[in-house]
Amino acid sequence: MKFFYPKGSTGLLAFLMSLSLRGGEATHPYRVSIFNSQDLSLFLDCLAQVESGRNDKAIAYKNGKPYARGRYQITEAVWKQHTYLPWTLAHSFYVSETIARKHVEWLDARLERISISAYHFRPFVIAFAWRGGLSSWENQYALDYETKQKYNDYATRVANLYWSLKNDR
């Protein structure tokens, strides 16, 4: 069977993504995310700005090995949580945005389970959990002062950027 894809790889990537996304947890059918589609796109744009300056080719190294890749600086563990595609595709805008979107929605659902629902506080909490993992938000008392301060500073930058851009609309 032959497939025709337009010039560029977007058609092929869309096809691969449809085949390779991992099934997520079942969520309540009436669950309303804190983000509508436009707000989620804005939030992802703020994450990309703070993470990599919107650089699709960015790579963060830890102990001499690639630790996080792409515009959203997605780690290999997060990547594998949401797709079967190779982690090297994190440099593709379309694929990494899809995975980032899935991960933010997953974080949002998890945070709702632990009763974090304040509308103005939610972007901060999701950014904090994006940076340090969901467990870092749940167990803040276990973090040393320097690490907690680093996560707080990061989440504050993302949340401030999000609210300033949202209010400018």
Side-chain angles (χ1 to χ4, degrees), residues 31 33-35 40 43-44 47 72 78 82 98-111 122 126-127 130:
R31 185 176 108 48
S33 174
I34 193 75
F35 299 115
L40 180 55
F43 184 75
L44 288 172
L47 272 177
Y72 302 102
V78 168
H82 298 293
T98 303
I99 301 305
R101 187 174 293 269
K102 258 185 98 78
H103 194 58
V104 167
E105 289 169 351
W106 180 83
L107 286 172
D108 188 40
R110 292 297 214 159
L111 289 166
R122 196 68 163 266
I126 291 174
W130 178 277

Side-chain angles (χ1 to χ4, degrees), residues 130-141:
W130 178 277
R131 181 62 163 199
L134 189 61
S135 62
S136 67
W137 175 259
E138 295 172 327
N139 303 313
Q140 289 183 50
Y141 61 88

Side-chain angles (χ1 to χ4, degrees), residues 85-132:
L85 292 174
W87 184 43
T88 54
L89 285 176
H91 297 293
S92 162
F93 171 73
Y94 176 78
V95 179
S96 65
E97 182 181 28
T98 303
I99 301 305
R101 187 174 293 269
K102 258 185 98 78
H103 194 58
V104 167
E105 289 169 351
W106 180 83
L107 286 172
D108 188 40
R110 292 297 214 159
L111 289 166
E112 187 176 275
R113 279 191 192 164
I114 58 173
S115 301
I116 305 296
S117 60
Y119 178 72
H120 289 290
F121 193 51
R122 196 68 163 266
F124 174 87
V125 177
I126 291 174
F128 191 101
W130 178 277
R131 181 62 163 199

Side-chain angles (χ1 to χ4, degrees), residues 40-95:
L40 180 55
S41 294
L42 177 64
F43 184 75
L44 288 172
D45 196 39
C46 294
L47 272 177
Q49 177 61 39
V50 173
E51 282 287 356
S52 67
R54 295 187 186 102
N55 180 1
D56 289 327
K57 302 297 180 198
I59 299 178
Y61 290 93
K62 189 179 209 178
N63 299 328
K65 295 181 180 178
Y67 174 71
R69 294 177 185 255
R71 172 181 288 240
Y72 302 102
Q73 292 295 285
I74 299 172
T75 63
E76 191 170 14
V78 168
W79 187 266
K80 287 181 178 180
Q81 178 182 347
H82 298 293
T83 187
Y84 295 107
L85 292 174
W87 184 43
T88 54
L89 285 176
H91 297 293
S92 162
F93 171 73
Y94 176 78
V95 179

Side-chain angles (χ1 to χ4, degrees), residues 5-60:
Y5 298 105
K7 193 171 186 177
S9 60
T10 305
L12 175 61
L13 290 174
F15 176 72
L16 289 173
M17 289 301 293
S18 69
L19 293 178
S20 63
L21 286 177
R22 292 179 185 259
E25 298 177 349
T27 55
H28 193 280
Y30 301 110
R31 185 176 108 48
V32 177
S33 174
I34 193 75
F35 299 115
N36 61 32
S37 182
Q38 286 181 329
D39 289 348
L40 180 55
S41 294
L42 177 64
F43 184 75
L44 288 172
D45 196 39
C46 294
L47 272 177
Q49 177 61 39
V50 173
E51 282 287 356
S52 67
R54 295 187 186 102
N55 180 1
D56 289 327
K57 302 297 180 198
I59 299 178

